[in-house]
Amino acid sequence: MANKKAKKTTKKSATTAPKTTTTKVVTKGTSSATKPGLANFVKSLAGPKDLDGIFSAKTLSLLFVEMIGAMALTMMYTFSKGNVFYLMFAVGVMVLAFSNFAISFFNPIFVLGNWLTKKISAKKAALLIVAQILGVMLASVLLTNFIQAVPEAANSRGAMFGSQAKPELFKLSKITEGKEWFIFLSEFVGATLLGLLVAQTAKRNTGEKAVLVGGGMFVSWFVANSLSNYLQQGANLLNPALAVSTVDFDKDTWQWNTVVYIIAPILGGVLGFFINKLLVKDSGVKTSVKTA
């Protein structure tokens, strides 16, 4: 009898053990099931992962660099009046100086190209473009204030040299009537070549990036300006952000200026990025490189 009781007790202990484990599993399931909305609410407060990346220190520093770089590029373009030699060296130096950042080289067409080829997110692309436009606007304000202060300083030093011409902020010349589509073509071709060359900097080191970006801007501006010079037109931009400070968007010319200096380089730059993507895909090289 004692042996039977011992066997019964062992059977009970063996049967009760899994019950305790099952009850624990059930309680865990019921606790998560009773509050299904709480986890989703916490996740919604945390936000998507991309939003966390946008407000990170790295992204904020990237936006600051893009704004300062766009401001410096605008000032150099204005002072040099679109001289491609000065711009080539200036852009190359800036790329070397900011080599620790995955910069978009202070041009919205590169941002849009990286976004459409799925290298950066839409939120980061929008913030980068805003930062670049703010940099150009800041440069325009600083240059305007500087130019307005020049006549006062000159007049205070003496008026013995006669009348003095009031300095003006550099602006692109008005597009010749009837030749708008030719200037559109020069901007489009130059931006396509520029986008194709810059798109190849994703896996390059700092020195190669500086050469590709600086040399690419020189070649692209040279080609675009050569096409424009046949029509006796001024310098090209190949940068929609620069149009904010160097193009007059008055009521008579804003339509063509928008098409030529904003839409044309955007279309050309994006086309250049897609051409590069097709070339890299055909060569068998992976293109899953994040630039920002």
Side-chain angles (χ1 to χ4, degrees), residues 75 202 288:
M75 289 183 172
S288 60

Side-chain angles (χ1 to χ4, degrees), residues 153-162 164:
N155 291 331
S156 63
R157 290 175 184 175
M160 63 174 129
F161 297 103
Q164 298 174 356

Side-chain angles (χ1 to χ4, degrees), residues 1-83:
M1 294 295 290
N3 293 333
K4 290 181 179 180
K5 288 181 180 180
K7 291 180 180 179
K8 288 181 180 180
T9 53
T10 54
K11 287 181 180 179
K12 286 181 180 181
S13 61
T15 54
T16 52
K19 286 183 180 179
T20 55
T21 54
T22 53
T23 52
K24 286 181 181 180
V25 174
V26 171
T27 53
K28 286 183 180 179
T30 53
S31 62
S32 61
T34 52
K35 300 178 181 179
L38 182 59
N40 294 331
F41 179 74
V42 173
K43 287 182 180 179
S44 64
L45 290 179
K49 293 181 179 180
D50 185 58
L51 190 61
D52 295 336
I54 288 176
F55 291 103
S56 64
K58 183 179 179 180
T59 303
L60 292 177
S61 61
L62 167 64
L63 296 177
F64 179 76
V65 167
E66 287 292 333
M67 184 181 69
I68 297 300
M71 182 184 70
L73 182 62
T74 303
M75 289 183 172
M76 286 181 288
Y77 189 91
T78 302
F79 286 129
S80 66
K81 297 182 179 181
N83 190 300

Side-chain angles (χ1 to χ4, degrees), residues 35-251:
K35 300 178 181 179
L38 182 59
N40 294 331
F41 179 74
V42 173
K43 287 182 180 179
S44 64
L45 290 179
K49 293 181 179 180
D50 185 58
L51 190 61
D52 295 336
I54 288 176
F55 291 103
S56 64
K58 183 179 179 180
T59 303
L60 292 177
S61 61
L62 167 64
L63 296 177
F64 179 76
V65 167
E66 287 292 333
M67 184 181 69
I68 297 300
M71 182 184 70
L73 182 62
T74 303
M75 289 183 172
M76 286 181 288
Y77 189 91
T78 302
F79 286 129
S80 66
K81 297 182 179 181
N83 190 300
V84 293
F85 291 98
Y86 291 112
L87 293 171
M88 175 186 67
F89 288 108
V91 172
V93 169
M94 284 193 293
V95 173
L96 288 173
F98 302 127
S99 59
N100 292 329
F101 299 90
I103 58 177
S104 296
F105 310 122
F106 328 116
N107 195 330
I109 67 175
F110 306 146
V111 179
L112 293 174
N114 285 322
W115 169 55
L116 292 175
T117 53
K118 298 180 180 180
K119 294 182 180 179
I120 60 175
S121 65
K123 295 185 180 70
K124 284 186 179 180
L127 288 177
L128 286 170
I129 293 176
V130 170
Q132 292 169 352
I133 294 175
L134 288 177
V136 174
M137 294 175 65
L138 180 59
S140 181
V141 171
L142 293 176
L143 290 171
T144 302
N145 292 332
F146 176 78
I147 288 174
Q148 289 176 352
V150 170
E152 298 177 1
N155 291 331
S156 63
R157 290 175 184 175
M160 63 174 129
F161 297 103
S163 60
Q164 298 174 356
K166 183 179 179 180
E168 296 179 354
L169 189 66
F170 172 71
K171 297 285 185 180
L172 291 181
S173 59
K174 186 178 179 181
I175 300 176
T176 306
E177 188 176 355
K179 298 181 180 179
E180 294 87 356
W181 285 113
F182 295 100
I183 309 301
F184 176 93
L185 181 63
S186 67
E187 285 279 330
F188 178 81
V189 172
T192 302
L193 181 59
L194 182 59
L196 176 61
L197 293 173
V198 172
Q200 298 179 15
T201 63
K203 293 185 177 182
R204 307 285 182 172
N205 57 35
T206 302
E208 291 174 340
K209 281 185 178 181
V211 172
L212 275 175
V213 177
M217 287 189 173
F218 171 77
V219 172
S220 304
W221 261 316
F222 181 81
V223 171
N225 289 342
S226 298
L227 294 174
S228 298
N229 288 335
Y230 283 112
L231 305 174
Q232 297 181 351
Q233 192 67 32
N236 290 80
L237 288 179
L238 308 184
N239 189 331
L242 284 177
V244 175
S245 66
T246 57
V247 177
D248 288 325
F249 291 95
D250 55 23
K251 62 179 180 179

